[in-house]
Structure formats: C-alpha cells, structure tokens
Amino acid sequence: MRWRERMAQFMIGRYGVDQLNRALLYTSIGFMFVSIFVFHRVFYVLGFFLLLVCNLRLLSRNFQARTKENLIFTNQINKLKYFWSKIKYHKETSKTHHIYACPQCKQKIRVPKGKGKIMIRCPKCGNEFLKKS
C-alpha cells in the first residue's frame, strides 16, 4: 500500500493516459511482437521509440500540449471511422439500391433496384430525370 501511495503522489500534476497514449502503447507492443518473427531490428527500435514517446507523454506536466495532440489524433481517427462507415453503408445498400446524383444539384438519391426505367424527382431541387433502376 505504501508503494501505491508514493506512485499516486508522484503522478499528481502529470498528464496520464489518453487515447493517443493507448494507441502508442499498443502500436509499440505490436512492433516489438513483429520484431520477434521478422528478425529486423527496425521494428524493435521503432517499438521502443514509440514506448519512450508514450512514457514521456504519460509523465508530462504540459496539459495543454498533450490535450491538443490527443484532440488532433482523435479527430483523425474519427475521420477514418466515418470514411469506413460510409464505404460499409454503400457496400450494403448497393445490393438492393442504386445511388444516383441529381444532374442539377448533385444531391445523392437512393433508388431501389429492379424497377426498370423510372422518372426520379430530386427532393432537394425538384429536378426530374430518367434513369434505369
């Protein structure tokens, strides 16, 4: 219990763990694990470097800079998640629907497949155009 109290006292005022630190830690462990099988020092050195950066961020007292770094990281991750969810959505809907863009306003319109040639009316601008469903 005494060791735990000393560690808690030491960590007061330090930044701690966030999403970027976790990602750095897991990536460094992954690189070190890969270095076991690939027998290249590059992976081990890269993993060790990421682990060092992770520990430096963990013990930092500069909250503003670490928060800004984490915000940039989470924004990039969210953009990547949005991109993949969009691809997944289009892949799922392409089995049952066509997606057309309005020639006038470029609004995307989802039309069910297998209806033959149909007149599509854009809900945004009201333009009508003929497409095969």
Side-chain angles (χ1 to χ4, degrees), residues 83-132:
F83 174 76
W84 284 112
S85 69
K86 216 163 86 169
I87 287 176
K88 183 181 174 186
Y89 172 76
H90 283 293
K91 185 177 178 184
E92 289 173 356
T93 59
S94 69
K95 296 173 186 171
T96 58
H97 292 82
H98 282 292
I99 296 177
Y100 294 113
C102 173
Q104 196 169 25
C105 68
K106 307 298 183 217
Q107 171 72 32
K108 291 185 179 178
I109 304 163
R110 194 175 76 147
V111 179
K113 284 186 175 180
K115 302 290 183 186
K117 286 191 176 186
I118 57 172
M119 187 66 76
I120 301 170
R121 184 177 179 273
C122 177
K124 186 175 179 183
C125 67
N127 182 34
E128 290 188 356
F129 55 97
L130 187 66
K131 288 285 185 178
K132 184 182 176 197

Coordinates of all heavy atoms in Angstrom, one line a residue, residues 83-132:
F83 N -15.1 7.5 -42.8 CA -14.8 7.1 -44.1 C -15.2 5.6 -44.3 O -15.8 5.2 -45.2 CB -13.3 7.3 -44.4 CG -12.9 6.8 -45.7 CD1 -13.2 7.4 -46.9 CD2 -12.1 5.6 -45.8 CE1 -12.8 6.9 -48.1 CE2 -11.7 5.1 -47.0 CZ -12.0 5.7 -48.2
W84 N -14.8 4.7 -43.3 CA -15.0 3.3 -43.4 C -16.5 3.0 -43.3 O -17.0 2.1 -43.9 CB -14.2 2.5 -42.5 CG -12.8 2.4 -42.9 CD1 -11.7 3.0 -42.4 CD2 -12.3 1.7 -44.1 NE1 -10.6 2.7 -43.1 CE2 -10.9 1.9 -44.2 CE3 -12.9 1.0 -45.1 CZ2 -10.1 1.4 -45.2 CZ3 -12.1 0.5 -46.1 CH2 -10.8 0.7 -46.2
S85 N -17.2 3.8 -42.4 CA -18.6 3.5 -42.2 C -19.4 3.9 -43.5 O -20.4 3.2 -43.8 CB -19.2 4.3 -41.0 OG -19.2 5.7 -41.3
K86 N -18.9 4.9 -44.2 CA -19.5 5.3 -45.4 C -19.3 4.2 -46.5 O -20.3 3.9 -47.2 CB -18.9 6.6 -45.9 CG -19.9 7.5 -46.6 CD -19.4 8.9 -46.7 CE -18.5 9.2 -47.9 NZ -18.2 10.6 -48.1
I87 N -18.2 3.7 -46.6 CA -17.9 2.6 -47.5 C -18.7 1.4 -47.2 O -19.3 0.7 -48.1 CB -16.4 2.2 -47.5 CG1 -15.6 3.3 -48.2 CG2 -16.1 0.9 -48.2 CD1 -14.1 3.2 -48.2
K88 N -18.8 1.0 -45.9 CA -19.6 -0.1 -45.5 C -21.1 0.1 -45.9 O -21.8 -0.8 -46.4 CB -19.5 -0.3 -44.0 CG -20.2 -1.5 -43.5 CD -20.0 -1.6 -42.0 CE -20.9 -2.7 -41.4 NZ -20.8 -2.8 -39.9
Y89 N -21.6 1.3 -45.6 CA -23.0 1.6 -46.0 C -23.3 1.5 -47.4 O -24.3 0.9 -47.9 CB -23.4 3.0 -45.5 CG -24.7 3.5 -45.9 CD1 -25.9 3.1 -45.3 CD2 -24.8 4.4 -47.0 CE1 -27.1 3.5 -45.7 CE2 -26.1 4.8 -47.4 CZ -27.2 4.4 -46.8 OH -28.4 4.8 -47.2
H90 N -22.4 2.0 -48.3 CA -22.6 1.9 -49.7 C -22.5 0.5 -50.2 O -23.2 0.1 -51.1 CB -21.5 2.8 -50.5 CG -21.9 4.2 -50.4 ND1 -23.0 4.8 -51.1 CD2 -21.3 5.3 -49.8 CE1 -23.0 6.0 -50.9 NE2 -22.0 6.4 -50.1
K91 N -21.6 -0.3 -49.6 CA -21.5 -1.7 -50.0 C -22.8 -2.5 -49.6 O -23.3 -3.3 -50.4 CB -20.3 -2.4 -49.2 CG -20.0 -3.8 -49.7 CD -18.8 -4.3 -49.0 CE -18.6 -5.8 -49.4 NZ -17.5 -6.4 -48.7
E92 N -23.4 -2.2 -48.5 CA -24.6 -2.9 -48.0 C -25.8 -2.5 -48.9 O -26.6 -3.3 -49.3 CB -24.9 -2.6 -46.6 CG -23.9 -3.3 -45.6 CD -24.1 -2.9 -44.2 OE1 -24.9 -2.0 -43.9 OE2 -23.4 -3.4 -43.3
T93 N -25.9 -1.2 -49.2 CA -27.0 -0.7 -50.0 C -26.9 -1.0 -51.4 O -27.9 -1.0 -52.1 CB -27.3 0.8 -49.8 OG1 -26.1 1.5 -50.2 CG2 -27.6 1.1 -48.3
S94 N -25.7 -1.3 -51.9 CA -25.6 -1.5 -53.4 C -26.2 -2.8 -53.8 O -26.5 -3.0 -55.0 CB -24.1 -1.5 -53.8 OG -23.4 -2.6 -53.2
K95 N -26.5 -3.7 -52.9 CA -27.2 -4.9 -53.2 C -28.6 -4.7 -53.6 O -29.2 -5.5 -54.4 CB -27.0 -5.9 -52.1 CG -25.6 -6.3 -51.8 CD -25.5 -7.1 -50.5 CE -24.0 -7.4 -50.1 NZ -23.9 -8.0 -48.8
T96 N -29.3 -3.8 -52.9 CA -30.7 -3.6 -53.1 C -31.1 -2.2 -53.7 O -32.2 -2.1 -54.2 CB -31.4 -3.6 -51.7 OG1 -30.9 -2.6 -50.9 CG2 -31.3 -5.0 -51.1
H97 N -30.1 -1.3 -53.8 CA -30.4 0.1 -54.3 C -29.3 0.6 -55.2 O -28.2 0.2 -55.1 CB -30.6 1.0 -53.1 CG -31.8 0.8 -52.3 ND1 -31.8 -0.2 -51.3 CD2 -33.0 1.4 -52.3 CE1 -33.0 -0.2 -50.7 NE2 -33.8 0.7 -51.3
H98 N -29.7 1.5 -56.1 CA -28.8 2.3 -56.9 C -28.7 3.6 -56.2 O -29.7 4.1 -55.7 CB -29.3 2.5 -58.3 CG -29.1 1.3 -59.2 ND1 -27.9 0.9 -59.6 CD2 -30.0 0.5 -59.8 CE1 -28.0 -0.2 -60.4 NE2 -29.3 -0.5 -60.6
I99 N -27.6 4.3 -56.3 CA -27.4 5.6 -55.8 C -27.1 6.5 -57.0 O -26.0 6.3 -57.6 CB -26.4 5.7 -54.7 CG1 -26.9 4.9 -53.5 CG2 -26.2 7.2 -54.3 CD1 -25.9 4.8 -52.4
Y100 N -27.9 7.5 -57.3 CA -27.7 8.4 -58.4 C -27.5 9.8 -57.9 O -28.1 10.1 -56.8 CB -28.9 8.4 -59.4 CG -29.1 7.1 -60.1 CD1 -30.2 6.3 -59.9 CD2 -28.1 6.6 -61.0 CE1 -30.4 5.1 -60.6 CE2 -28.3 5.5 -61.7 CZ -29.4 4.7 -61.5 OH -29.6 3.5 -62.1
A101 N -26.8 10.6 -58.6 CA -26.6 12.0 -58.3 C -27.5 12.8 -59.2 O -27.5 12.6 -60.4 CB -25.2 12.4 -58.4
C102 N -28.2 13.8 -58.6 CA -29.0 14.7 -59.4 C -28.1 15.5 -60.4 O -27.1 16.1 -59.9 CB -29.8 15.7 -58.5 SG -30.7 16.9 -59.4
P103 N -28.4 15.6 -61.7 CA -27.6 16.3 -62.6 C -27.5 17.8 -62.3 O -26.6 18.4 -62.7 CB -28.2 16.0 -64.0 CG -29.4 15.2 -63.7 CD -29.5 14.9 -62.3
Q104 N -28.5 18.3 -61.6 CA -28.6 19.7 -61.4 C -27.9 20.2 -60.1 O -27.0 21.0 -60.2 CB -30.0 20.2 -61.4 CG -30.2 21.7 -61.6 CD -31.6 22.0 -61.8 OE1 -32.5 21.3 -61.4 NE2 -31.9 23.2 -62.5
C105 N -28.2 19.5 -59.0 CA -27.6 20.0 -57.7 C -26.7 19.0 -57.1 O -26.1 19.2 -56.0 CB -28.8 20.3 -56.8 SG -29.7 18.8 -56.2
K106 N -26.5 17.8 -57.7 CA -25.6 16.8 -57.3 C -26.0 16.1 -56.0 O -25.2 15.4 -55.3 CB -24.1 17.3 -57.1 CG -23.6 18.0 -58.3 CD -23.5 17.1 -59.5 CE -22.8 17.8 -60.7 NZ -23.4 17.4 -61.9
Q107 N -27.2 16.3 -55.6 CA -27.8 15.6 -54.4 C -27.8 14.1 -54.7 O -28.2 13.6 -55.8 CB -29.2 16.1 -54.1 CG -29.9 15.3 -53.1 CD -29.4 15.5 -51.7 OE1 -28.9 16.6 -51.4 NE2 -29.5 14.5 -50.8
K108 N -27.4 13.2 -53.8 CA -27.4 11.8 -53.9 C -28.8 11.3 -53.6 O -29.4 11.6 -52.6 CB -26.4 11.1 -53.1 CG -24.9 11.4 -53.5 CD -23.9 10.6 -52.8 CE -22.6 10.9 -53.3 NZ -21.5 10.3 -52.5
I109 N -29.3 10.4 -54.5 CA -30.7 9.9 -54.4 C -30.6 8.4 -54.4 O -30.0 7.8 -55.3 CB -31.6 10.4 -55.5 CG1 -31.6 11.9 -55.5 CG2 -33.0 9.9 -55.3 CD1 -32.1 12.6 -56.7
R110 N -31.2 7.7 -53.5 CA -31.2 6.2 -53.4 C -32.5 5.7 -54.0 O -33.6 6.1 -53.6 CB -31.1 5.8 -52.0 CG -30.7 4.3 -51.8 CD -30.5 4.0 -50.4 NE -31.8 3.9 -49.7 CZ -32.1 3.1 -48.7 NH1 -31.1 2.4 -48.2 NH2 -33.3 3.1 -48.2
V111 N -32.3 4.8 -55.0 CA -33.5 4.3 -55.8 C -33.4 2.7 -55.7 O -32.3 2.2 -55.9 CB -33.4 4.7 -57.3 CG1 -34.5 4.2 -58.1 CG2 -33.4 6.2 -57.3
P112 N -34.5 2.0 -55.4 CA -34.5 0.6 -55.4 C -34.2 0.0 -56.7 O -34.6 0.5 -57.8 CB -35.9 0.2 -54.9 CG -36.7 1.4 -55.2 CD -35.9 2.6 -55.2
K113 N -33.5 -1.2 -56.7 CA -33.1 -1.9 -57.9 C -34.3 -2.7 -58.5 O -35.2 -3.0 -57.7 CB -32.0 -2.8 -57.7 CG -30.6 -2.2 -57.6 CD -29.5 -3.2 -57.4 CE -28.2 -2.6 -57.5 NZ -27.1 -3.6 -57.3
G114 N -34.3 -3.0 -59.8 CA -35.3 -3.9 -60.4 C -36.6 -3.3 -60.7 O -37.6 -4.0 -60.9
K115 N -36.7 -2.0 -60.9 CA -38.0 -1.3 -61.2 C -38.0 -0.9 -62.7 O -39.0 -0.3 -63.1 CB -38.2 -0.1 -60.3 CG -38.2 -0.4 -58.9 CD -39.4 -1.1 -58.5 CE -39.5 -1.3 -56.9 NZ -40.5 -2.2 -56.5
G116 N -37.0 -1.2 -63.5 CA -37.0 -0.7 -64.9 C -36.6 0.7 -65.0 O -36.0 1.3 -64.1
K117 N -37.0 1.4 -66.1 CA -36.7 2.8 -66.3 C -37.7 3.6 -65.5 O -38.9 3.4 -65.6 CB -36.7 3.2 -67.7 CG -35.5 2.8 -68.5 CD -35.5 3.4 -69.9 CE -34.2 3.0 -70.5 NZ -34.0 3.7 -71.8
I118 N -37.2 4.5 -64.6 CA -38.1 5.3 -63.8 C -37.7 6.8 -63.9 O -36.6 7.1 -64.1 CB -38.2 4.8 -62.3 CG1 -36.8 4.8 -61.7 CG2 -38.8 3.4 -62.2 CD1 -36.8 4.6 -60.2
M119 N -38.7 7.6 -63.6 CA -38.5 9.0 -63.5 C -38.2 9.4 -62.1 O -39.0 9.1 -61.2 CB -39.8 9.8 -64.0 CG -39.6 11.3 -64.1 SD -38.4 11.8 -65.4 CE -39.4 11.6 -66.8
I120 N -37.0 9.9 -61.8 CA -36.6 10.2 -60.5 C -36.7 11.7 -60.3 O -36.3 12.5 -61.1 CB -35.1 9.8 -60.3 CG1 -35.0 8.3 -60.5 CG2 -34.7 10.2 -58.8 CD1 -33.6 7.8 -60.6
R121 N -37.4 12.1 -59.2 CA -37.5 13.5 -58.8 C -36.6 13.8 -57.6 O -36.7 13.2 -56.6 CB -39.0 13.8 -58.4 CG -39.2 15.3 -58.1 CD -40.7 15.5 -57.8 NE -41.0 16.9 -57.6 CZ -40.8 17.4 -56.4 NH1 -40.5 16.7 -55.3 NH2 -41.1 18.7 -56.2
C122 N -35.7 14.8 -57.8 CA -34.8 15.2 -56.7 C -35.6 15.9 -55.6 O -36.3 16.8 -55.8 CB -33.7 16.1 -57.3 SG -32.6 16.7 -56.0
P123 N -35.4 15.4 -54.4 CA -36.1 16.0 -53.2 C -35.6 17.4 -52.9 O -36.3 18.2 -52.2 CB -35.9 15.0 -52.1 CG -34.7 14.3 -52.4 CD -34.6 14.2 -53.9
K124 N -34.4 17.7 -53.3 CA -33.8 19.0 -52.9 C -34.2 20.1 -53.9 O -34.6 21.1 -53.4 CB -32.2 18.8 -52.9 CG -31.5 20.0 -52.4 CD -30.0 19.7 -52.3 CE -29.2 20.9 -51.8 NZ -27.8 20.6 -51.8
C125 N -34.0 19.8 -55.2 CA -34.2 20.9 -56.1 C -35.5 20.7 -57.0 O -35.9 21.6 -57.7 CB -33.0 21.1 -57.1 SG -32.7 19.7 -58.2
G126 N -36.1 19.5 -57.0 CA -37.3 19.2 -57.7 C -37.0 18.8 -59.2 O -38.0 18.6 -59.9
N127 N -35.8 18.7 -59.6 CA -35.4 18.3 -61.0 C -35.9 16.9 -61.2 O -35.7 16.1 -60.3 CB -33.9 18.5 -61.2 CG -33.5 18.2 -62.6 OD1 -34.3 18.4 -63.5 ND2 -32.3 17.7 -62.7
E128 N -36.4 16.6 -62.4 CA -36.8 15.2 -62.7 C -35.9 14.7 -63.8 O -35.5 15.5 -64.8 CB -38.2 15.2 -63.2 CG -39.2 15.4 -62.0 CD -40.6 15.2 -62.5 OE1 -40.9 14.9 -63.7 OE2 -41.5 15.3 -61.6
F129 N -35.4 13.5 -63.7 CA -34.6 12.9 -64.7 C -34.9 11.4 -64.8 O -35.4 10.8 -63.9 CB -33.1 13.1 -64.4 CG -32.6 12.7 -63.1 CD1 -32.0 11.5 -62.9 CD2 -32.8 13.6 -62.0 CE1 -31.6 11.1 -61.6 CE2 -32.4 13.2 -60.7 CZ -31.8 12.0 -60.5
L130 N -34.6 10.8 -66.0 CA -34.9 9.4 -66.2 C -33.6 8.6 -66.0 O -32.6 8.8 -66.6 CB -35.4 9.3 -67.7 CG -35.9 7.9 -68.1 CD1 -37.2 7.6 -67.3 CD2 -36.2 7.9 -69.6
K131 N -33.8 7.5 -65.3 CA -32.7 6.5 -65.0 C -33.2 5.1 -65.0 O -34.4 4.9 -64.7 CB -32.0 6.8 -63.7 CG -31.1 8.1 -63.7 CD -29.8 7.8 -64.5 CE -28.9 9.0 -64.4 NZ -27.7 8.9 -65.0
K132 N -32.3 4.1 -65.3 CA -32.7 2.7 -65.1 C -32.5 2.3 -63.7 O -31.4 2.5 -63.1 CB -31.9 1.9 -66.1 CG -32.2 0.4 -66.1 CD -31.3 -0.4 -67.0 CE -31.7 -1.8 -66.9 NZ -30.7 -2.7 -67.4

